[in-house]
Amino acid sequence: MKKKFYIKLASLFIGTFFLMPSNTYSQDGSLDLSFGVNGKVITKFESLYDGIGSLAIQSDGKIVVVGNTFLNGYSDFTVVRYNSDGSLDLSFGSEGKVFTDIGTLTDLAQDVAIQSDGKIVVVGCAYVDGVDQIATVRYNEDGTLDNSFGTNGIVTTPIGSSYSIGNSVAIQSDGKIVVAGQTEISTYVQEMIVLRYYTDGTLDPAFNAGGTYITEFGVMGSRASSVAIQINGKIVVGGNSANDGNPNFAIIRLKDDGNADNSFSYDGIDTISVGGVIDYGRSVVVQSDEKIILAGYSHNGTDNDFALVRYNTNGTLDSSFGKDGIVTTAIGSSNDQISSMILQQDGRIVVAGNSYYNRSYDFALARYNIDGTLDTSFDSDGKQVTGFGNNSDFASSVALQSDGKIVVAGTTQEGFNSDFALARYNNTILTGVDEIQAEVLSVEIYADPTTDKLLVKAGSELVGSSYSVIDQLGRPIISGRLISESSSVAIDKLASGLYFFQVVGGNQMTVKFMKK
């Protein structure tokens, strides 16, 4: 028997709405004292140098970090899984840790993504056959190598005969794996590269007629630091280029077939000087309205500041964000750098990186409102700086838990020794309810826990609007368009749990639903 839900969707950002804070008694941006020791976790290994490249959070709340440890004189891929309280998950690998030796010399793990089936995909580079190649490794949920992927769970991809590395990975809704990084095309000149793999690790020949896309920014080249997938399947890659002699923010957008999307900035490529002498783009995200934010840092001639740029869907700068689409923020006394960025479900922007503060580098965070202004409800001024002692601490990645808490991972260094470091922060997600004093659009959603579909009945004003099904970590899992006033959305591949059905039609509208 079908169960009928009558739900009113309304804009999250207009009118008056109720707030349901996830942390009633803790200041947003304060350390979560239930995590590790006073909100912090340090993991030591037998090697001298250990560093985190990235992290991801599983649907069950466990935290996966990837990085590198130097064993036997060379660096190996390292994957560590933590329980939600910060303790090592002893069911994963050997006492929570997995080490993978790929090539003959140094292997570097840069980024991680978790598939919908729970398998873990890690990208970076490995020295194989005399050259650094893009390396992609897939692990089962228990940390063992997934033998259905590549050769014994490992895929290495040479690009020509020169150095190549994968810096970022994203999983498409169809399970295909997209990797972005750079490859050396001539001596000291590198270019952005994007590759797409089938789920078994073979290159997808339909992607740019061979599985790879390489940019041509000019004599100084470019670097891809981050990749994201739009709900319509287009691929957005952010990084930097140095075509004019100094690095600038750089962004490209590809169509699903791997060709440049000429509806974005005329040729699918845009570069911009944020205003500094040197500008580095490090992390890219796509909003639910398909606007794109690229974050990194800008050197203004004296020191580095946090920097963010927001683009409209056609590649023009969004003048409603900061000053003419650009936001810069000074955090500490000098050398403020964004490494990673996430979007909250309420549209607010969280960035993490490092800042030179009190004679050492520390983790640095900031939270912005949707217009680019600092959110002063976050640690009273929109900024948070965290140290791990008399060390230098570098945050490399940030992720959002389903309860809204923020997890940051990186490296803490003292002298020549460095270790994995994590911190977790209290955080509130603003949530609207269906009794809202605003312009209200009515939608009927029929969700039967025993079936595989959502049946959506929408008003004529929403026909043609984009929709997406978003998980608790803010990741779009299913996307499409409402083609009529009555639409069917297949949810058979979703795991049980809470999801969000989001419609973009004039305003952004979101409602929760349960899949049982």
Side-chain angles (χ1 to χ4, degrees):
M1 180 177 178
K2 289 186 177 180
K3 184 177 180 181
K4 176 180 177 181
F5 297 90
Y6 181 75
I7 302 173
K8 293 181 177 180
L9 300 179
S11 169
L12 290 177
F13 306 119
I14 60 175
T16 303
F17 53 87
F18 298 92
L19 306 183
M20 297 189 293
S22 58
N23 299 291
T24 306
Y25 302 105
S26 300
Q27 166 80 41
D28 278 14
S30 63
L31 284 165
D32 174 17
L33 303 184
S34 68
F35 183 76
V37 178
N38 297 322
K40 306 173 187 177
V41 170
I42 295 176
T43 303
K44 297 179 179 293
F45 300 84
E46 294 180 0
S47 62
L48 185 65
Y49 175 77
D50 315 302
I52 289 177
S54 188
L55 87 155
I57 298 177
Q58 296 183 170
S59 58
D60 60 2
K62 291 182 179 181
I63 301 164
V64 177
V65 302
V66 301
N68 310 284
T69 57
F70 274 82
L71 302 172
N72 302 317
Y74 297 107
S75 173
D76 288 337
F77 274 32
T78 302
V79 186
V80 181
R81 191 165 72 191
Y82 300 86
N83 297 308
S84 59
D85 63 358
S87 61
L88 286 169
D89 176 13
L90 302 184
S91 69
F92 184 80
S94 175
E95 298 183 340
K97 306 169 185 177
V98 172
F99 306 99
T100 306
D101 184 9
I102 303 170
T104 56
L105 298 176
T106 295
D107 308 320
L108 295 175
Q110 297 287 86
D111 196 20
V112 59
I114 299 175
Q115 297 183 171
S116 59
D117 60 3
K119 292 182 179 181
I120 300 165
V121 180
V122 182
V123 300
C125 72
Y127 192 78
V128 178
D129 296 331
V131 66
D132 286 298
Q133 303 184 14
I134 291 175
T136 308
V137 182
R138 192 164 71 192
Y139 301 87
N140 297 307
E141 289 186 83
D142 62 358
T144 57
L145 288 166
D146 175 14
N147 292 329
S148 69
F149 184 80
T151 302
N152 299 322
I154 299 171
V155 171
T156 57
T157 307
I159 308 298
S161 59
S162 300
Y163 167 87
S164 302
I165 185 170
N167 292 319
S168 184
V169 60
I171 310 296
Q172 294 187 169
S173 59
D174 60 4
K176 291 180 181 179
I177 299 166
V178 179
V179 175
Q182 74 250 30
T183 186
E184 190 173 67
I185 61 171
S186 61
T187 304
Y188 305 120
V189 177
Q190 299 178 3
E191 287 286 7
M192 290 185 180
I193 187 168
V194 186
L195 306 90
R196 189 166 71 192
Y197 299 89
Y198 286 124
T199 57
D200 64 357
T202 57
L203 281 170
D204 177 7
F207 185 77
N208 197 37
T212 63
Y213 170 93
I214 301 177
T215 57
E216 296 180 2
F217 273 99
V219 294
M220 299 299 291
S222 61
R223 166 193 169 96
S225 299
S226 182
V227 62
I229 311 295
Q230 294 188 179
I231 60 174
N232 60 8
K234 292 182 179 180
I235 298 166
V236 179
V237 178
N240 57 271
S241 72
N243 192 35
D244 60 356
N246 292 319
N248 294 320
F249 274 30
I251 192 166
I252 63 175
R253 190 167 73 189
L254 306 178
K255 294 182 291 186
D256 181 67
D257 61 7
N259 291 307
D261 177 15
N262 294 333
S263 69
F264 182 84
S265 189
Y266 302 105
D267 59 359
I269 298 174
D270 188 71
T271 60
I272 182 171
S273 172
V274 178
V277 178
I278 298 173
D279 304 315
Y280 280 95
R282 301 290 297 277
S283 184
V284 68
V285 295
V286 179
Q287 297 183 169
S288 59
D289 60 3
E290 297 185 1
K291 290 183 179 180
I292 299 165
I293 305 174
L294 178 59
Y297 58 94
S298 177
H299 185 77
N300 58 21
T302 304
D303 58 27
N304 295 328
D305 291 330
F306 281 14
L308 301 90
V309 175
R310 189 162 73 192
Y311 292 88
N312 295 308
T313 58
N314 63 359
T316 60
L317 290 176
D318 177 11
S319 60
S320 69
F321 184 77
K323 182 179 180 181
D324 299 324
I326 298 173
V327 170
T328 58
T329 306
I331 305 295
S333 58
S334 65
N335 208 13
D336 308 319
Q337 301 183 10
I338 292 174
S339 299
S340 184
M341 170 176 50
I342 52 171
L343 289 176
Q344 296 188 173
Q345 293 155 4
D346 56 18
R348 290 183 291 181
I349 305 155
V350 178
V351 298
N354 55 268
S355 177
Y356 192 76
Y357 194 83
N358 290 335
R359 298 184 179 181
S360 66
Y361 287 96
D362 290 328
F363 281 20
L365 286 80
R367 189 170 73 186
Y368 298 89
N369 297 307
I370 58 173
D371 62 357
T373 57
L374 281 168
D375 178 7
T376 55
S377 68
F378 187 80
D379 202 45
S380 75
D381 62 356
K383 311 171 188 177
Q384 162 63 260
V385 176
T386 303
F388 286 76
N390 297 318
N391 309 323
S392 288
D393 311 311
F394 303 92
S396 55
S397 188
V398 61
L400 197 69
Q401 294 187 170
S402 60
D403 61 2
K405 291 181 179 180
I406 298 167
V407 181
V408 179
T411 304
T412 182
Q413 181 175 345
E414 187 170 10
F416 292 102
N417 185 56
S418 59
D419 300 303
F420 283 20
L422 295 89
R424 188 165 73 191
Y425 302 86
N426 295 303
N427 187 48
T428 302
I429 305 294
L430 303 181
T431 308
V433 297
D434 59 353
E435 294 298 329
I436 302 176
Q437 297 175 0
E439 178 187 3
V440 177
L441 299 174
S442 296
V443 171
E444 289 181 293
I445 294 180
Y446 299 80
D448 187 341
T450 64
T451 63
D452 301 328
K453 296 179 180 179
L454 287 178
L455 300 178
V456 182
K457 185 176 181 182
S460 59
E461 71 277 3
L462 289 179
V463 174
S465 298
S466 297
Y467 71 80
S468 57
V469 175
I470 298 172
D471 68 11
Q472 296 180 60
L473 302 181
R475 301 174 299 190
I477 305 300
I478 302 170
S479 61
R481 291 189 180 275
L482 299 176
I483 60 175
S484 67
E485 294 183 31
S486 295
S487 300
S488 175
V489 179
I491 58 172
D492 55 304
K493 294 183 180 180
L494 297 183
S496 298
L498 175 67
Y499 294 88
F500 300 86
F501 187 83
Q502 190 171 85
V503 178
V504 180
N507 293 301
Q508 177 178 298
M509 297 156 285
T510 305
V511 67
K512 297 178 182 179
F513 74 91
M514 292 293 298
K515 169 69 163 53
K516 295 184 178 180

